[in-house]
Amino acid sequence: MKSDFRIVVLPGDGIGVEVIDATLAMLEPLQARHGFRLGYDRRPGGAHCYEDTGDAFPDSSMKACEAADAILFGAMGWPEIRYPDGTEIAPQLDMRVHLDLYAGVRPIRAIPGLPLPLASPHAAEIDLVIVRESTEGWFHARGHGRRVTTPDGDEAVQDPCQISRKACERLFDFSFRLAQARKRRNPAKGKVTCIDKSNVFLGMAFMNGIFRERSAHFTDVVADHCYIDAYCLNLIRRPWDYDVCPMENQFGDIASDLGAGLVCGMGYAPSADIGDRHAVFQPSHGSAPDIAGKGIANPTATFLSAAMMLEWLGDRHAEPTLLEAAQAIREAVDRVFAEGRARPADIGGVDGTAAVTRAVIDALAP
Ligand code: ATP
């Protein structure tokens, strides 16, 4: 039985540092109570690391990630600190490729008690997961874009999109397995909707064909399809109809922000980047320079990401106590908002990071 886990902690920039410190405080009382230990290995990386040292993500940080049981990540990037070519510092994108973290898991769940932006009473039923392919798609263009001259002599840039069979197969298999697991917990679930633009792009038609091939191996869940444009409309009209939604990298990047908006914003949207050997757990939000240093960052998304980390470790090591701890975090978060024990600034309240953290720690107490 494994009960000691080595967790690499990458706070990064801006509110990344604030929500990570809050999350480590929240995890503290859980460890003794549930009988496991998280050994933290805090490592540098991010835009300010680049500014200070000329290196956005030292090799030693990447090596530590390779050896870790799991990685807890805040946020990296800062608009004013950029590479000479004008692009932002985003070591998390390199990490996804280096550690082969192909499934970007973005749960979009309505937390009871939050003032949801959609007026329909069904909004309280929103519980879907965007699975963002995270190693290629349009993000393949990073480092592969090229300047060209058009046939009529204009200057242009071509950013190539890559859709490979391997990436599609593992993305869809992951999504079908996730839908099976969700159906086991809730029989109303168990649907995978492939989101693409297969009516226009060859790569997307290829992707859609692989989705249909793989669906034949998972006949106990429903395989459905929606074009990305119609999906955006449906996310506003009837998001409660969706369950697991795999899609190309850039589509997933955009749809997950839209999804977060449906459940009160980035402060409530956890995420995990998962591969076959490694996994990084982080809030969906960035470093939020507009609120950094003010003590008002909402740590809820990172708490829920830490719950995903414990659940992933628990599944991987067949360790039920970690699954119980993950569930305890989710229940404590739900209780805090359902009972109005905290009202963070991002929903018009007065509670900052410390007050929300205290409320969740109190709600965790037996
Ligand atoms: P990135 O491109 O790095 O993902 P972004 O441009 O999407 O970042 P974010 O940093 O995610 O931007 O912030 C988007 C908006 O949401 C900002 O107004 C920010 O203040 C707000 N926001 C993000 N995270 C939180 C949080 N944890 N608590 C409160 N507000 C947040």
Side-chain angles (χ1 to χ4, degrees):
M1 256 178 39
K2 184 172 166 79
S3 58
D4 272 330
F5 299 91
R6 183 159 164 258
I7 310 297
V8 164
V9 179
L10 301 167
D13 298 306
I15 67 165
V17 181
E18 300 165 38
V19 294
I20 284 292
D21 285 342
T23 301
L24 300 187
M26 182 278 296
L27 287 169
E28 208 45 52
L30 272 181
Q31 299 185 45
R33 200 170 306 146
H34 290 269
F36 63 92
R37 230 190 68 74
L38 304 176
Y40 300 124
D41 180 6
R42 205 171 171 112
R43 296 280 173 166
H48 290 99
C49 178
Y50 176 75
E51 188 178 48
D52 294 343
T53 68
D55 190 353
F57 202 60
D59 268 356
S60 52
S61 293
M62 190 67 96
K63 288 256 163 352
C65 289
E66 287 168 11
D69 288 309
I71 301 152
L72 191 58
F73 186 105
M76 290 188 189
W78 201 255
E80 286 80 37
I81 305 174
R82 291 176 184 250
Y83 292 120
D85 68 0
T87 58
E88 276 198 47
I89 315 295
Q92 61 275 28
L93 300 182
D94 303 316
M95 229 161 73
R96 284 173 199 161
V97 175
H98 183 84
L99 300 176
D100 209 15
L101 309 173
Y102 56 84
V105 182
R106 313 281 172 88
I108 306 293
R109 182 178 71 92
I111 296 174
L114 288 182
L116 301 174
L118 296 185
S120 166
H122 289 296
E125 298 160 22
I126 297 173
D127 181 12
L128 62 96
V129 186
I130 289 170
V131 188
R132 169 186 176 183
E133 199 292 320
S134 300
T135 60
E136 51 171 40
W138 267 292
F139 277 69
H140 174 73
R142 284 183 83 235
H144 294 100
R146 57 189 189 113
R147 292 187 173 277
V148 296
T149 305
T150 64
D152 58 359
D154 196 5
E155 58 171 344
V157 173
Q158 292 180 340
D159 277 338
C161 171
Q162 175 175 296
I163 308 274
S164 71
R165 170 169 282 279
K166 178 180 164 191
C168 291
E169 285 184 348
R170 60 190 189 176
L171 174 77
F172 294 136
D173 287 358
F174 182 96
S175 302
F176 281 115
R177 283 196 297 270
L178 178 60
Q180 286 175 325
R182 284 167 62 83
K183 189 179 175 183
R184 278 195 293 276
R185 282 200 298 273
N186 175 0
K189 292 291 175 188
K191 180 167 77 172
V192 180
T193 308
C194 176
I195 310 300
D196 60 46
K197 192 71 182 167
S198 52
N199 52 339
V200 175
F201 298 109
L202 185 60
M204 296 271 166
F206 174 64
M207 179 174 178
N208 187 270
I210 297 171
F211 176 71
R212 280 185 275 108
E213 275 173 38
R214 298 312 302 167
S215 69
H217 299 270
F218 301 90
T219 50
D220 54 335
V221 294
V222 176
D224 197 6
H225 167 263
C226 191
Y227 296 126
I228 181 69
D229 43 344
Y231 180 68
C232 290
L233 179 70
N234 292 340
L235 274 187
I236 302 297
R237 285 173 19 152
R238 47 181 182 84
W240 41 88
D241 280 353
Y242 288 105
D243 184 10
V244 177
C245 307
M247 64 192 77
E248 181 274 332
N249 205 340
Q250 177 63 32
F251 288 173
D253 184 30
I254 298 166
S256 21
D257 272 30
L258 172 51
L262 295 174
V263 292
C264 285
M266 306 306 284
Y268 305 89
S271 94
D273 289 320
I274 298 180
D276 291 330
R277 292 174 45 211
H278 306 283
V280 176
F281 299 84
Q282 62 183 106
S284 289
H285 60 75
S287 58
D290 55 335
I291 59 165
K294 296 183 178 164
I296 56 170
N298 185 347
T300 305
T302 319
F303 291 169
L304 295 172
S305 306
M308 292 174 79
M309 178 179 81
L310 297 182
E311 189 166 37
W312 182 78
L313 285 169
D315 278 339
R316 201 172 166 77
H317 298 280
E319 196 44 78
T321 181
L322 290 166
L323 303 178
E324 287 158 21
Q327 187 56 20
I329 295 174
R330 279 190 287 262
E331 286 172 5
V333 164
D334 284 8
R335 209 171 307 133
V336 162
F337 294 111
E339 296 174 7
R341 296 196 201 182
R343 202 168 160 79
D346 58 1
I347 53 166
V350 294
D351 291 321
T353 316
V356 175
T357 305
R358 175 48 45 208
V360 173
I361 290 174
D362 288 348
L364 276 169

